[in-house]
Amino acid sequence: MCIKKGDLRHLEEARQILESFDIPNEDLAVTYILLSRLKDKSLYKKAVEIAKSIKNERLLAEALLSSDDEKELEEALEIFRKLNDVNGEAKVLYKNCFMRQFKG
């Protein structure tokens, strides 16, 4: 329920609860992804670790999408293409264009 609300306070609450479990899970990865986009950019790395450990490619791609590293964004794009996720592809391409626009 806390994750579904999506605001910072509820995500932090979800994070505390989910981190208390012994086994990483999809909900914790999603929480890290959302928090990385709202608050602490570095949290996407924890989401990447979890997605790899539970072998969830869609979550891995979403986690990598939170990165500003071109190689990681390219990896996300490859995964979205492999999964035939055109919305995911579009998000990566949009982010790449947006980042290039501000790099000059």
Side-chain angles (χ1 to χ4, degrees), residues 1-2 9 12-13 19 32 47 56 59-63 80 94 100 103:
M1 184 67 166
C2 292
R9 184 176 65 87
E12 285 292 354
E13 185 178 332
E19 285 179 338
Y32 283 143
N56 186 318
L59 275 179
L60 176 58
E62 283 293 338
F80 283 130
Y94 177 79
R100 287 186 181 140
K103 282 186 178 179

Side-chain angles (χ1 to χ4, degrees), residues 5-91:
K5 292 215 180 224
D7 62 69
L8 194 55
R9 184 176 65 87
H10 286 95
L11 288 170
E12 285 292 354
E13 185 178 332
R15 177 185 180 183
Q16 289 175 356
I17 294 167
L18 294 167
E19 285 179 338
S20 70
F21 298 140
D22 292 333
I23 301 171
N25 59 55
E26 290 180 5
D27 289 336
L28 182 57
V30 169
T31 300
Y32 283 143
I33 291 167
L34 295 173
L35 284 171
S36 75
R37 294 177 184 173
L38 291 173
K39 178 185 173 187
D40 182 356
K41 190 75 166 168
S42 67
L43 289 175
Y44 87 91
K45 293 177 183 179
K46 289 185 175 189
V48 167
E49 290 174 21
I50 292 171
K52 286 180 178 179
S53 73
I54 62 175
K55 296 175 175 52
N56 186 318
E57 287 189 312
R58 185 169 311 282
L59 275 179
L60 176 58
E62 283 293 338
L64 291 168
L65 181 59
S66 296
S67 173
D68 288 333
D69 180 80
E70 286 185 41
K71 289 181 182 180
E72 290 181 326
L73 290 173
E74 187 64 36
E75 185 179 349
L77 182 61
E78 289 175 24
I79 294 169
F80 283 130
R81 285 182 174 160
K82 178 182 169 187
L83 298 173
N84 294 316
D85 183 339
V86 292
N87 290 326
E89 279 185 65
K91 289 189 282 187

